Amino acid sequence: MGNIIRALVAFIPADRCQNFVVGDLREMPLDKMVDLSGNQLRRFPVHVCSFRELVKLYLSDNHLSSLPLELGQLQNLQILALDFNNFKALPQVVCTLKQLCILYLGNNKLCDLPNELSLLQNLRTLWVEANCLTQLPDVVCELSLLKTLHAGSNALRLLPGQLRRLQELRTIWLSGNLLTDFPTVLLHMPFLEVIDVDRNSIRYFPSLAHLSSLKVVIYDHNPCRNAPKVAKGVRRVGRWAEETPEPDPRKARRYALVKEESQETQAPALPPPLFPSNS
């Protein structure tokens, strides 16, 4: 009965009702982490913004569509998870959190990203999978320290040439888009280690043998006539790949994500937010 009451109260956006849903969260947690995932929140509890030393904030799997300006008080925040919500636009206040290293925006309704995102110059990992992007926003190419970009399950048909500016980028996930050609810009990014173009409409793959840092290329579920040529030691996941059994792409993504969190923050890493079911 208690869970039923909480579920019903969550649909009432009044502050008192939303505070009831999150319980007795009144003091700064010792681990500097707040996880309000899966609480069916429709309004962010503003009192959390008083935890000025907060490092990790997980708001995954709620019903949020906006955030209060008070969130800007959390200037020590390094990880922010907003995935599986109802955001149609990224709240501008997020772009004021200049210590952010990891930002999860997947499974929302985003069609674009604000230019102010370029202010997040410490950002290392950006997840925008399963949104409504028809092109990769140019502002992403201004995130000079970005190491991991997950833009799968959108409606991307090509990538901007400016992407090659991201010389720190090591992993790019593009599965489940509308690519009909292998993105040319990726051929000019020899520092990439993982390329995922699974579940697109690519019919021909150019040689990737010159990408000296490449470790894994995932190209399964494409109507391709050939497998991409790669240098010795590079793992290929897809048709005509030599290795059997092939590594599971979903497991590879989980491993990469946990590794990133442990490297980017000194605080103990938590399990990542929800993954899209069609990854």
Side-chain angles (χ1 to χ4, degrees):
M1 181 62 72
N3 289 335
I4 295 176
I5 294 176
R6 287 171 66 86
L8 291 174
V9 171
F11 278 87
I12 305 174
D15 287 337
R16 181 175 298 180
C17 294
Q18 297 299 288
N19 290 338
F20 170 80
V21 173
V22 301
D24 298 326
L25 186 63
R26 292 294 173 183
E27 297 182 359
M28 173 72 187
L30 294 178
D31 58 3
K32 299 182 180 181
M33 185 275 295
V34 168
D35 187 354
L36 298 176
S37 301
N39 276 290
Q40 304 185 57
L41 293 174
R42 293 180 176 272
R43 181 176 296 179
F44 178 71
V46 179
H47 69 268
V48 174
C49 299
S50 64
F51 304 154
R52 303 294 178 86
E53 300 301 316
L54 202 64
V55 172
K56 298 181 180 182
L57 177 57
Y58 292 89
L59 299 172
S60 308
D61 193 22
N62 283 293
H63 302 285
L64 299 172
S65 58
S66 63
L67 293 172
L69 293 177
E70 289 85 349
L71 189 72
Q73 299 173 13
L74 303 180
Q75 286 299 310
N76 290 297
L77 208 60
Q78 296 180 29
I79 298 178
L80 177 60
L82 300 175
D83 51 323
F84 289 90
N85 277 285
N86 294 322
F87 292 102
K88 294 182 179 180
L90 181 65
Q92 293 282 347
V93 66
V94 173
C95 301
T96 68
L97 304 173
K98 296 183 179 181
Q99 296 304 314
L100 278 183
C101 296
I102 301 176
L103 179 58
Y104 300 110
L105 301 174
N107 289 270
N108 280 285
K109 302 173 183 178
L110 302 174
C111 295
D112 201 357
L113 295 173
N115 292 332
E116 290 78 6
L117 190 71
S118 64
L119 298 174
L120 303 183
Q121 284 299 307
N122 284 308
L123 206 61
R124 267 72 167 179
T125 300
L126 176 63
W127 286 61
V128 290
E129 81 282 6
N131 276 285
C132 304
L133 300 175
T134 57
Q135 60 183 13
L136 190 67
D138 290 340
V139 67
V140 173
C141 303
E142 299 180 30
L143 302 172
S144 59
L145 296 183
L146 200 66
K147 291 185 176 181
T148 298
L149 174 61
H150 192 332
S153 300
N154 280 285
L156 304 179
R157 296 181 180 274
L158 48 83
L159 298 180
Q162 304 95 301
L163 195 67
R164 72 180 70 181
R165 298 177 185 171
L166 302 183
Q167 297 190 15
E168 297 298 320
L169 195 65
R170 298 295 179 265
T171 303
I172 185 165
W173 308 105
L174 298 167
S175 61
N177 277 287
L178 302 176
L179 301 172
T180 56
D181 296 301
F182 185 83
T184 303
V185 66
L186 300 185
L187 300 176
H188 302 283
M189 302 176 71
F191 36 80
L192 285 174
E193 297 180 357
V194 178
I195 298 175
D196 178 6
V197 289
D198 182 32
R199 300 183 187 278
N200 278 277
S201 299
I202 301 173
R203 295 185 175 277
Y204 174 78
F205 281 94
S207 174
L208 307 180
H210 65 288
L211 299 181
S212 56
S213 298
L214 192 62
K215 296 179 180 178
V216 179
V217 56
I218 304 171
Y219 64 95
D220 207 8
H221 303 99
N222 279 280
C224 52
R225 304 188 302 269
N226 70 313
K229 293 182 180 179
V230 295
K232 184 178 180 180
V234 177
R235 290 187 296 168
R236 299 190 301 180
V237 182
R239 192 178 182 188
W240 301 301
E242 299 91 349
E243 295 182 28
T244 55
E246 291 294 347
D248 184 333
R250 179 164 179 162
K251 290 181 180 178
R253 295 185 187 109
R254 287 180 182 272
Y255 172 78
L257 178 58
V258 172
K259 184 178 179 181
E260 286 153 18
E261 286 203 4
S262 63
Q263 290 177 343
E264 299 300 346
T265 65
Q266 296 180 352
L270 289 177
L274 298 174
F275 283 83
S277 59
N278 59 351
S279 291

